[in-house]
Every structure is written in C-alpha cells, then in structure tokens.
Amino acid sequence: MLPVDEITKLCYDHFRNLPKRGKPELGREWTLLAAVVEVRQKPKEKIEMKVVSLGTGTKCIGRAAMSPKGDILNDSHAEVIARRGCVRYLTEQLRLAVSGDKGSVFCSSEEMGKWKVQPEVSFVFFTSHTPCGDASIIPMVGSPSQVCPPVRPEGAEDKGSSAPKTALKRRAEEPEDQASKRPRPEGEGHQDLGRPDKEMKTGSPPQPEANQPSEDPCKPSDGEAHTGQSGDAEEQQAQDIHRTGAKCVPGETSDPKEPGAGYHSTGVLRVKPGRGQPTLSLSCSDKMARWTVLGLQGALLSHYLKEPIYFRAVVTGKCPYSQCAMQRALCKRVSQVTDLPAAFRVHTPELLQSSLEFSHSQPQTQHSHHSSKGRVSPCGAAISWCAVPEQPLDVTANGYKQGMTKKALGTPQARSLISKVELFHAFQTLVTSTPNTHLPASLRDKELQTYWDYKQAAGAYQQAWQQLRVQAFPSWPRSPRELLEFR
Ligand SMILES: [Zn+2]
C-alpha cells in the first residue's frame, strides 16, 4: 500500500525547499501544487520515492493570447505544469537510456528503438486539491463541516490557533447573474470548490481523514457506514454541491443552473475559465481522464515507448474531496472505452486522499490573512521544477518566463522550458542523438518537420486518442492545426 501522507509530505517539503521565486506571498496569495513522484519498489525492499516534477499555478490564458509558435504556456494549472515537467524529465531519461546510461529510469524492450520503464518503477500523481472541472462537482452531504485546521505556513511560527467554524452558506441560493458579476481575483476561478473565495471556507463537505476514503458519503462501495446508496443517489439527495468555474464545452449537456444540487451537469467536458475570455484548455479533470487511457507521456514520447506510462495512483491533499466525484471524473467516464491499439488500455489509478493540507492553499491563506495586506488572490506565477541537470527551475507568468520585458516576448529567452516548442526541441535533440539503427520504426525514413508532423506520426497514440474521443469524449475541442505547425 502506498504511504499517502509520506508522499504528500515529500511534495510539500520539496516545494518548501525551492527558491522563493514564483512562490505566493504568505498570507495574501494562494496557489495550487501538483507533483509527480517516482516510486521504486523491489520485492522485500524498502520503498524509495522521489519527486521528479513539481508544478504550481492557477491561471489559464484565453484563446486570443495563444501563439502559433508554441512558445507560450496556454494552461498553467498546477496539474498541467507538473505533467509537462514530467515529460521534460522523461525526455532526459530517454536520452540517457539511448546513450547507454544504466542510471536511466528506462530499460530496453524486445522491440528495436522502444523502451520501457524499469519494472520496479511506478509514478504517482500528487495534487494538493481536487482537480477543476467534473471532479470538483461534489455533493454537500451531512452536517456543515469546518474548514481544514490550519497548517503551519512555510517559514511561519505555528501560533496554535484553531480553525474558524463557520456556518454552511449556500451560494446556490444566489441568482447566477449576480454571482457571476461578483469580482473575482484576476477574473479566474481555478480553485474550484472555492469560487468565489469566501465560500470556500464555509461549505466544505465532511472531510475524510487520512487515508480513509471510505468515509466519503458518496462512495458507492461504502455500504456499511452509510446508507449503501449509489453515488448517483447521494448526489440527488444532497441539497447543494460544490461548484466548478469551468464551463461545459459546446456539444455537451449544459448546466441547468438550478438552485442547489441541480446547478451542474455531471460527467461532461469543461473548459477552464480565463481572464474574462474563454479558453481552449480543458479542465484538469478532463485532461487527467485522458491520461487514464493515453498515458502521461504525450504523443511525442510515445514514439520511443513500448507502452504508455500510466499513473499508478492519484493522491489528493486535504481539501473538499469526494471519492465518487473523482471516480466519475477520472475513471468512470472512460471505463467503457475499447478497441484500443496494442499496449493501450484503460488504466484506473488508485484514488487516495491525504490528511495533510498545503500551507499555501486558499483556505490557509485566508486564515492567516491580515486586512492590511490587500485582498487574498491567486498567485500569478507558475513554478515548474523537474529532475533534470540543467535549469530544473522554470518560473512563468502569463505563459512566459517571469520577469520578461514586453520587448523580449516572442524571443527564445522568454520561453518556458516546458512550452510546446521547447519540449519539441528537447525531443528533437533526443532523436538526433539516437543512432539511426536504433530509431523507433515510426521515426525511421520519415520526412517529419513540424510539431504537428511528429505528433501525427505517433500512429498508435493517435489511434488510441481517436477511440477515446469517439467513444467517450466526442465534444473534446480539437486544437487548431495552425497553432501546432511550428518547428
Ligand atoms: Zn485545474
């Protein structure tokens, strides 16, 4: 069994030990954290774990700001940053493997040019919060709960104060137009379950304690402790739900926006809110559901891999959380997908929750906030760190390296190392360093030039994506090709 709190602590500690750049201002700004933890477990040996990628961030840019050069990060939600950092890490590990370095996480497979993750290694995805979108639509069942007790903020004294106990307030009783006019920090509401910010504190569902997802009131398998009703039944019974700021994509059943529990449709694809304009970025729940079938490695690395890399588990920090909403969002929606190409499958990760809360979460920040500090707001920067020898740290704001002058935007210096174009260049370096005889078949004797070309040439991956789209996500918006034709 995975040591859930140990994994969580590892991620929080790793964040704490990073330099200050890009971190939220204590007591005023909050952020979200996600990470990928590499787990090594040989039979009868002690489990070894290390963070190989970490991301923070709450923002997403609108359609108009997207770049055809692939040089801007469209989506800077922590989960997305953490996955992209992991792709950067894996690209470096493949480069090591190709050059014969035995320290790589990859070992050769029986197929020429294809590699696989060493058998004792697995990857766990950590997120400090429930992912935005479908997983954040959580029934509020039972008695009003209190906000998570405070945790010691980074570098601060623990004053030993207790959590404020506040009454459940139902935002659902407000008319939608009024709610939507309310000013929100930066016009974004990534911290789902907490939009607008005050209600975050007041309406948490009962919090499962450490490693006890069975306490979740809507977990279908939990027949003993509760009523034995299915998750759906519980959802119908709940008087209200936590909400997501992510909007249904065209073609999906739109939200009924009825008061209380009837506000949202569940199980549908959603796009993230941006700064007042629509984005093309799917919610983290949707992207994570996609990883459940396609793997976390993306199209490019799949050229080099014998099989996709799936997350063994998703660990969520202490926050409003529902096991059944997570199951619905990440697993149930894709569970029926069949006819996948060889090596692809529906891989349901273990869904676990920790008892430890992130000290820079929105509730913790509100708790330690002083009115003199200005209003509590999401941190505008996104931090990426990954386990690579050169420039592991990459801090961005608005999709470009933080601190860039307007004049520098568009230059290579302004690019994030996890932007599409930089990950593509790292991949091309891998291809160039691979001896011709050791190239995967999908890349041999091909005239591939653009990012689009290389992605399309990943045949099995594209087939799997096609099946997933047709069977589970027909409304998934396609990225415009003109945004992917850079070199
Ligand atoms: Zn998100």
Side-chain angles (χ1 to χ4, degrees), residues 63-81:
R63 167 74 179 86
M66 287 167 79
S67 161
K69 294 192 284 185
D71 60 347
I72 186 165
L73 287 177
N74 301 328
D75 184 340
S76 295
H77 282 205
E79 295 93 318
V80 173
I81 299 276

Side-chain angles (χ1 to χ4, degrees), residues 410-424:
T411 65
Q413 294 76 30
R415 293 173 188 159
S416 162
L417 293 168
I418 55 166
S419 62
K420 282 189 176 69
V421 70
E422 287 293 327
L423 288 181
F424 180 41

Side-chain angles (χ1 to χ4, degrees), residues 6-21:
E6 211 179 306
I7 289 170
T8 306
K9 189 170 179 303
L10 195 68
C11 298
Y12 294 162
D13 286 349
H14 197 96
F15 174 79
R16 198 172 53 241
N17 292 330
L18 290 178
K20 206 173 168 201
R21 202 153 55 90

Side-chain angles (χ1 to χ4, degrees), residues 77 79 132 190 272 284:
H77 282 205
E79 295 93 318
C132 63
H190 171 50
K272 287 167 178 163
C284 291

Side-chain angles (χ1 to χ4, degrees), residues 16-36:
R16 198 172 53 241
N17 292 330
L18 290 178
K20 206 173 168 201
R21 202 153 55 90
K23 286 187 176 177
E25 185 191 324
L26 200 64
R28 193 181 71 80
E29 292 179 316
W30 54 270
T31 196
L32 304 167
L33 174 73
V36 178

